[in-house]
Amino acid sequence: MIEKENITYEKSVLIGIINQQQDEEKSKEYLDELEFLTYTAGGEVLKRFTQKLEMPNPKTFIGSGKMEKVRQFISENEIDTAIFDDELSPAQQKNIERILKCKVIDRTYLILDIFAQRAKTSYASTQVELAQYEYLLPRLAGLWTHLERQRGGIGMRGPGEREIETDRRIVRDKITLLKKKLRTIDKQMAVQRGNRGQLVRVALVGYTNVGKSTLMNVISKSDVFAENKLFATLDTTVRKVVIRNLPFLLTDTVGFIRKLPTQLVESFKSTLDEVREADLLLHVVDISHPNFEEHIASVKQILDEIESVDKPSIMIFNKIDAYQQEEIEEDDLATQKTSVHYSLEEWKKTWMNKADGEVLFISALNKENIEEFRRKVYEKVREIHVTRFPYNDFLYPEYDTYGEEE
């Protein structure tokens, strides 16, 4: 353990692989994200280990030589936790724990642990608990290390296996109960959504830690929890917002992430109903992140999975105050200019220029270009509202006819 500013952090190491699907640069980026996840969960990363492999080792994920180096470092530095960037099979986890003799978790469990920390309401807690049990079920045998007598032989049969089977039955029953509880809550939430009337519904979507909650606070003048950590917001927050005299409902949703555990996608489907039922999506992007284009692709993939990718949307590039382009040294003629060397103005002339004008560049933290943001949202919401209620057209004139913002 490491103590900093009266906070205790678990000493951790990260382990990832480099292959055809995940080159060295992408592997580094994934481990950067994994380190941020570790910090969010309460860990301090002391070292990273990577290995080039065509396929993960079916027994230990990485090769025996690299595993020995990891074991030595863990032993010499009293490491608490080894965290793998990809999901481990139950057999891999059991084998690795036997070699490293420390806590071994994977990216999936780490995300589940963060969700468990962040869940505040009964609904979010139930969703996370269901995901944890579904992850745990196939790994129960690995947890019962004191029942190794299952291997067979004199005095080695019987009770151990029955104890594990009992546990599996308890977990299955628990999963059934949690699913039943979620169905009940889902019905209640569906009624709540139905009781919201005919107001246009707008949902904030995007990668985790892009500033959705900060933007929610700015536009709705509310106080939604926002923090520079991954998954700061788990519970769906809905606020009634009025721009000029046009009311609509704004929803802040859970952030997306690459390699999102399937258990979470399943258990959070009802939360994502807010996205499915939205009339307009505000896709928030952290333009200061060097790989924001890949984040956009990840979000669109999840939107596609929940059949929401074709909804009307506005792409909002947030954190322009933090954006920094990389400079090319004058004497470095070998360096080719790439997207990392673009200025904001150059970015605006790329594919963003072809998005039918539905692109905004803002800083929610510093409230830069917020008036332009309000105008664009007003226009899109008005368009949807007037299509639904043509006779209300006169109530909501074009934004510019109002004159200056009061």
Short mmCIF file of all heavy atoms in Angstrom, two decimals, residues 20 27 73 104 110 133 148 221 232-233 258 349 378 384:
data_model
loop_
_atom_site.label_atom_id
_atom_site.label_comp_id
_atom_site.label_asym_id
_atom_site.label_seq_id
_atom_site.Cartn_x
_atom_site.Cartn_y
_atom_site.Cartn_z
N GLN A 20 -1.40 -8.03 -33.71
CA GLN A 20 -1.83 -7.40 -34.96
C GLN A 20 -3.02 -6.47 -34.76
O GLN A 20 -3.12 -5.43 -35.40
CB GLN A 20 -2.19 -8.48 -36.00
CG GLN A 20 -0.96 -9.19 -36.54
CD GLN A 20 -1.33 -10.20 -37.62
OE1 GLN A 20 -2.46 -10.68 -37.67
NE2 GLN A 20 -0.37 -10.53 -38.48
N SER A 27 -1.51 -0.27 -27.81
CA SER A 27 -1.34 -0.93 -26.52
C SER A 27 -0.97 0.08 -25.44
O SER A 27 -1.48 0.02 -24.31
CB SER A 27 -0.24 -2.00 -26.62
OG SER A 27 0.00 -2.60 -25.37
N PHE A 73 9.30 -8.84 -9.93
CA PHE A 73 9.01 -7.44 -9.58
C PHE A 73 7.97 -7.36 -8.46
O PHE A 73 8.10 -6.57 -7.54
CB PHE A 73 8.52 -6.68 -10.82
CG PHE A 73 8.31 -5.21 -10.57
CD1 PHE A 73 9.36 -4.31 -10.67
CD2 PHE A 73 7.05 -4.71 -10.22
CE1 PHE A 73 9.18 -2.96 -10.42
CE2 PHE A 73 6.85 -3.36 -9.97
CZ PHE A 73 7.92 -2.48 -10.08
N VAL A 104 -5.10 -10.91 -8.51
CA VAL A 104 -5.06 -10.79 -9.98
C VAL A 104 -6.45 -10.44 -10.48
O VAL A 104 -7.42 -11.15 -10.22
CB VAL A 104 -4.58 -12.10 -10.64
CG1 VAL A 104 -4.67 -12.01 -12.16
CG2 VAL A 104 -3.16 -12.43 -10.21
N LEU A 110 -12.03 -4.66 -13.02
CA LEU A 110 -11.66 -3.33 -12.55
C LEU A 110 -12.79 -2.34 -12.82
O LEU A 110 -13.16 -1.53 -11.96
CB LEU A 110 -10.38 -2.88 -13.25
CG LEU A 110 -9.82 -1.50 -12.85
CD1 LEU A 110 -9.47 -1.48 -11.36
CD2 LEU A 110 -8.59 -1.16 -13.69
N TYR A 133 -22.20 -10.52 -10.26
CA TYR A 133 -22.53 -11.95 -10.08
C TYR A 133 -22.39 -12.73 -11.37
O TYR A 133 -21.94 -13.88 -11.37
CB TYR A 133 -23.95 -12.10 -9.51
CG TYR A 133 -24.02 -12.00 -8.01
CD1 TYR A 133 -24.72 -10.96 -7.38
CD2 TYR A 133 -23.38 -12.93 -7.19
CE1 TYR A 133 -24.77 -10.85 -6.00
CE2 TYR A 133 -23.42 -12.84 -5.80
CZ TYR A 133 -24.12 -11.79 -5.22
OH TYR A 133 -24.15 -11.70 -3.84
N GLU A 148 -8.86 -27.59 -3.07
CA GLU A 148 -8.09 -28.20 -4.14
C GLU A 148 -8.19 -29.73 -4.08
O GLU A 148 -7.74 -30.41 -4.99
CB GLU A 148 -6.62 -27.77 -4.03
CG GLU A 148 -6.46 -26.26 -4.09
CD GLU A 148 -5.77 -25.82 -5.37
OE1 GLU A 148 -4.95 -26.59 -5.87
OE2 GLU A 148 -6.06 -24.73 -5.86
N LYS A 221 -28.22 24.58 -15.16
CA LYS A 221 -28.03 25.31 -13.89
C LYS A 221 -28.30 24.40 -12.69
O LYS A 221 -28.87 24.80 -11.68
CB LYS A 221 -28.94 26.55 -13.82
CG LYS A 221 -28.62 27.59 -14.90
CD LYS A 221 -29.50 28.81 -14.75
CE LYS A 221 -29.13 29.90 -15.75
NZ LYS A 221 -29.35 29.51 -17.15
N ALA A 232 -17.48 9.08 -13.36
CA ALA A 232 -17.90 9.90 -12.23
C ALA A 232 -19.42 9.84 -12.07
O ALA A 232 -19.95 9.95 -10.98
CB ALA A 232 -17.44 11.34 -12.41
N THR A 233 -20.13 9.67 -13.21
CA THR A 233 -21.60 9.61 -13.18
C THR A 233 -22.06 8.23 -13.61
O THR A 233 -21.73 7.78 -14.70
CB THR A 233 -22.20 10.67 -14.14
OG1 THR A 233 -21.72 11.95 -13.77
CG2 THR A 233 -23.71 10.65 -14.08
N ARG A 258 -14.01 1.84 -24.28
CA ARG A 258 -13.62 0.70 -25.10
C ARG A 258 -13.55 -0.54 -24.22
O ARG A 258 -13.28 -0.46 -23.02
CB ARG A 258 -12.24 0.94 -25.74
CG ARG A 258 -12.26 1.94 -26.86
CD ARG A 258 -10.87 2.37 -27.22
NE ARG A 258 -10.22 3.00 -26.08
CZ ARG A 258 -9.15 3.76 -26.18
NH1 ARG A 258 -8.61 3.99 -27.35
NH2 ARG A 258 -8.62 4.30 -25.11
N LYS A 349 -11.63 22.04 -40.72
CA LYS A 349 -11.67 21.93 -42.18
C LYS A 349 -11.59 20.49 -42.66
O LYS A 349 -11.61 20.23 -43.86
CB LYS A 349 -10.50 22.73 -42.78
CG LYS A 349 -10.63 24.24 -42.55
CD LYS A 349 -9.38 24.97 -43.02
CE LYS A 349 -9.48 26.45 -42.70
NZ LYS A 349 -8.23 27.18 -43.05
N TYR A 378 -31.31 24.90 -29.21
CA TYR A 378 -32.64 25.48 -29.34
C TYR A 378 -33.21 25.20 -30.73
O TYR A 378 -34.37 24.78 -30.87
CB TYR A 378 -32.58 26.99 -29.10
CG TYR A 378 -33.90 27.72 -29.31
CD1 TYR A 378 -34.79 27.91 -28.26
CD2 TYR A 378 -34.27 28.21 -30.57
CE1 TYR A 378 -36.01 28.57 -28.44
CE2 TYR A 378 -35.48 28.87 -30.77
CZ TYR A 378 -36.34 29.04 -29.71
OH TYR A 378 -37.54 29.69 -29.90
N ILE A 384 -37.71 19.68 -33.87
CA ILE A 384 -38.40 18.43 -33.48
C ILE A 384 -39.77 18.75 -32.90
O ILE A 384 -40.77 18.08 -33.23
CB ILE A 384 -37.54 17.66 -32.46
CG1 ILE A 384 -36.23 17.20 -33.11
CG2 ILE A 384 -38.30 16.45 -31.91
CD1 ILE A 384 -35.18 16.72 -32.11
#
